[in-house]
Amino acid sequence: MISVFYKTDLDKIVALLKQNGVQIYATGGTLDFIKKLDDTVRSVESLTGYPSILGGRVKTLHPKVFGGILGRLDNQSDIEEMRQYEIPALDLVIVDLYPFEETVRNTSDQSQIIEKIDIGGISLIRAGAKNFNDCLIVPSSDYYKEFMEMYERQNGCTTLDDRRRFARYAFQTSSHYDTAIFNWFSGSTDTPLRYGENPHQQAVFKGNLEEVFEKLHGKDLSYNNLLDLEAGLNLIREFDEPTFAILKHNNPCGIASRPTIAEAYDAALAGDPVSAFGGVFVSNRVIDLKTAKEMNKMFFEVCVAPGYEDGVLDILFSKKNRIVLKLKSNDFPKKVYKSALNGILEQDRDMHMETAADFTPVTNKTINNQQDIDDLIFANKIVKHSRSNAIVLAKNKQLYASGIGQTSRVDALKQAIAKANSFNFNLNGAVLASDAFFPFSDCVEIASEAGIKSIVQPGGSVRDQESIDACNKLGIAMVFTGYRHFKH
């Protein structure tokens, strides 16, 4: 049984089913679409003996449909009843629900919104999921690819584990859908998300995303997408010149500033082309055709930019699920909140960003080269937006590598150096930024061995002098800012 709103990739599924001799039943527009591909498809009306009624509101709600889905093939009584009432066993159900959330976003017309509350489709999903022992339910076009790969790999067969997994997808889909309807009826501005940090966690966004960006294309945003966007937009606002950032798990894995956004993208990607796969791309300039063509060679989850030149969206829209956003504002509240224990923590957003005027030289060697000063400022902006403990290595306004989320600063530095070396970056003359002070001189010594010549850090350790003495001995210039930038 196939009943879908959007027909994208349905032709591929029909071809697979036809190849395996599967009898297809379909409804309405789905039937019309499939008839062009498989003339053996049957209408649901041919099964039920009833026409679609009430303007299409009632099509599949019939015992011959739901009996075929819910019939237990290991239950003799069910089998006899199905035979008595001529109910065929339906062992595959494919549904793509009416786009309720999309309709709510695009209109305030209540009658249009009400008509996009799917009844038959949601019932098919729940029935197929309930009887996963005998039926496979594909509850959304989001799962077409996984279904087709499984179907081809297993020559048209499914296992109980497969069906149970897709049943889980089904209840997740129906739960999300019903939550969106509930929120609309209750007047809530909550935006239901596909799931939380992990698929077994439900999640909503409490706020108005339309104030931040316009969603132009792609699947629904996830909880993790929003965390990456929060991190990326806070980072990119620190930069005035053309800058491109690539984020993964809330941390920049590639970022560069260049005269053009195309050059910035190339340099950002070079910083870590491995981690960039599946990342979130953030630009502070309009994306041009040259940049878009290069971006399109990569798989990425989300792209956000202040605008797109003519022809760019045609390129970026070539991947169905790729999320493309147009930034409206990254002016966020001055307070940030985080749940903790049985309450909520509140603090001021970290809005301070040091300039060269905040750099206090503390070593014999001073920094007079403008490029080094610019690189220290650049690196310090990045380390502010990296998970602590964090170390950033940069050169020529390009992130070479970072060590992030480590329990010791030494480990963070070693991680950064190893990563830079793995991508063949020459660290001679590079700069180092640390989000907090060096408790010992060991980081200075390790940095010197790697070729680092300039360091920016907050200072404030009771052993600052040890790090200063080590810099003087090794010929490294170091400045203190007086501002720590922990991020947890």
Side-chain angles (χ1 to χ4, degrees):
M1 174 66 67
I2 304 180
S3 180
V4 300
F5 188 85
Y6 288 119
K7 312 301 188 293
T8 306
D9 289 338
L10 184 58
D11 56 332
K12 299 174 184 175
I13 291 178
V14 170
L16 279 176
L17 299 179
K18 184 177 180 180
Q19 181 181 322
N20 283 275
V22 175
Q23 176 61 60
I24 301 173
Y25 291 91
T27 63
T30 306
L31 176 68
D32 295 336
F33 180 89
I34 296 177
K35 273 183 178 178
K36 300 172 185 176
L37 308 167
D38 181 2
D39 57 10
T40 67
V41 63
R42 297 178 185 173
S43 68
V44 71
E45 290 86 354
S46 71
L47 173 61
T48 65
Y50 276 84
S52 172
I53 61 174
L54 307 181
R57 281 188 165 197
V58 181
K59 294 189 286 283
T60 58
L61 297 171
H62 191 281
K64 281 202 170 183
V65 174
F66 284 87
I69 298 171
L70 289 165
R72 294 162 292 185
L73 302 185
D74 60 354
N75 183 300
Q76 191 58 40
S77 176
D78 284 8
I79 293 172
E80 290 174 1
E81 283 189 78
M82 292 170 72
R83 186 180 298 119
Q84 177 184 353
Y85 296 109
E86 299 180 337
I87 299 173
L90 298 171
D91 56 4
L92 173 62
V93 178
I94 301 175
V95 177
D96 190 52
L97 296 169
Y98 290 165
F100 178 80
E101 289 174 272
E102 181 181 324
T103 305
V104 170
R105 286 194 296 268
N106 293 332
T107 184
S108 59
D109 186 322
Q110 178 171 299
S111 63
Q112 290 188 44
I113 293 171
I114 291 293
E115 288 309 312
K116 286 300 184 287
I117 297 177
D118 206 314
I119 303 300
I122 206 79
S123 301
L124 290 171
I125 287 174
R126 293 180 64 84
K130 177 175 181 176
N131 196 27
F132 68 86
N133 197 58
D134 298 301
C135 181
L136 177 75
I137 172 65
V138 182
S140 164
S141 59
D142 290 343
Y143 302 106
Y144 284 0
K145 182 181 178 183
E146 182 177 346
F147 164 70
M148 287 189 286
E149 289 175 350
M150 174 189 69
Y151 192 85
E152 285 192 283
R153 185 174 62 251
Q154 298 170 190
N155 297 315
C157 297
T158 64
T159 67
L160 183 61
D161 284 344
D162 293 330
R163 298 191 294 278
R164 181 185 287 272
R165 183 175 74 257
F166 275 80
R168 186 176 74 244
Y169 298 157
F171 285 117
Q172 177 183 312
T173 300
S174 65
S175 174
H176 177 96
Y177 196 79
D178 286 340
T179 300
I181 296 169
F182 167 79
N183 286 337
W184 180 74
F185 271 100
S186 63
S188 170
T189 59
D190 291 359
T191 302
L193 305 175
R194 292 202 307 276
Y195 50 78
E197 206 158 4
N198 299 290
H200 62 275
Q201 297 170 268
Q202 292 192 17
V204 298
F205 175 79
K206 296 181 179 291
N208 187 358
L209 290 173
E210 292 182 2
E211 293 178 355
V212 182
F213 49 71
E214 177 185 0
K215 183 167 179 281
L216 304 177
H217 181 75
K219 61 186 178 182
D220 290 337
L221 286 156
S222 71
Y223 180 96
N224 292 329
N225 290 155
L226 292 179
L227 289 179
D228 281 331
L229 284 167
E230 157 85 2
L233 293 175
N234 280 324
L235 169 64
I236 207 74
R237 69 186 295 174
E238 306 280 10
F239 298 88
D240 295 322
E241 58 190 307
T243 302
F244 202 104
I246 302 173
L247 282 90
K248 201 73 172 287
H249 295 291
N250 312 158
N251 289 293
C253 60
I255 181 170
S257 296
R258 291 291 185 269
T260 69
I261 202 64
E263 293 172 288
Y265 169 75
D266 287 343
L269 180 62
D272 187 347
V274 176
S275 296
F277 184 85
V280 169
F281 288 9
V282 185
S283 170
N284 69 351
R285 292 292 191 277
V286 170
I287 301 294
D288 56 25
L289 281 169
K290 183 178 180 181
T291 309
K293 288 176 182 177
E294 291 302 312
M295 290 169 59
N296 202 45
K297 297 175 183 178
M298 282 291 297
F299 167 71
F300 58 90
E301 283 268 332
V302 185
C303 169
V304 59
Y308 302 88
E309 283 188 359
D310 289 345
V312 165
L313 294 180
D314 291 336
I315 296 171
L316 298 182
F317 288 5
S318 62
K319 298 293 188 289
K320 180 182 70 172
N321 289 328
R322 178 184 288 161
I323 299 167
V324 180
L325 309 173
K326 182 179 179 181
L327 182 65
K328 293 181 179 178
S329 170
N330 62 351
D331 184 18
F332 301 141
K334 300 301 184 288
K335 297 285 186 180
V336 292
Y337 306 89
K338 188 174 184 178
S339 62
L341 303 176
N342 62 344
I344 295 174
L345 292 169
E346 174 189 313
Q347 68 169 347
D348 296 335
R349 186 179 295 275
D350 186 357
M351 301 295 290
H352 192 275
M353 191 67 254
E354 298 76 56
T355 66
D358 298 301
F359 290 175
T360 301
V362 294
T363 52
N364 295 335
K365 183 179 179 181
T366 58
I367 304 167
N368 299 313
N369 181 291
Q370 187 60 47
Q371 181 63 57
D372 288 343
I373 294 172
D374 290 345
D375 280 346
L376 286 171
I377 293 171
F378 177 85
N380 200 43
K381 289 177 179 179
I382 299 170
V383 84
K384 171 187 171 182
H385 294 277
S386 302
R387 296 289 179 187
S388 301
N389 287 312
I391 294 287
V392 162
L393 306 178
K395 189 176 181 180
N396 298 325
K397 296 183 181 178
Q398 179 186 19
L399 173 63
Y400 271 17
S402 59
I404 48 179
Q406 298 300 307
T407 52
S408 83
R409 200 152 298 281
V410 167
D411 285 344
L413 176 55
K414 288 179 177 178
Q415 180 191 56
I417 293 171
K419 191 170 184 180
N421 289 336
S422 72
F423 291 113
N424 298 316
F425 283 118
N426 183 353
L427 291 175
N428 285 319
V431 305
L432 179 156
S434 175
D435 64 338
F437 62 64
F438 292 155
F440 304 101
S441 62
D442 45 8
C443 280
V444 173
E445 294 158 3
I446 295 169
S448 176
E449 291 176 7
I452 302 299
K453 296 302 180 186
S454 304
I455 295 174
V456 57
Q457 59 131 318
S461 168
V462 295
R463 292 187 173 90
D464 274 346
Q465 193 58 49
E466 293 180 17
S467 295
I468 294 170
D469 291 343
C471 284
N472 288 335
K473 178 181 177 182
L474 298 168
I476 293 176
M478 184 164 66
V479 297
F480 286 175
T481 66
Y483 286 89
R484 187 181 75 184
H485 290 294
F486 270 168
K487 185 182 180 187
H488 297 111

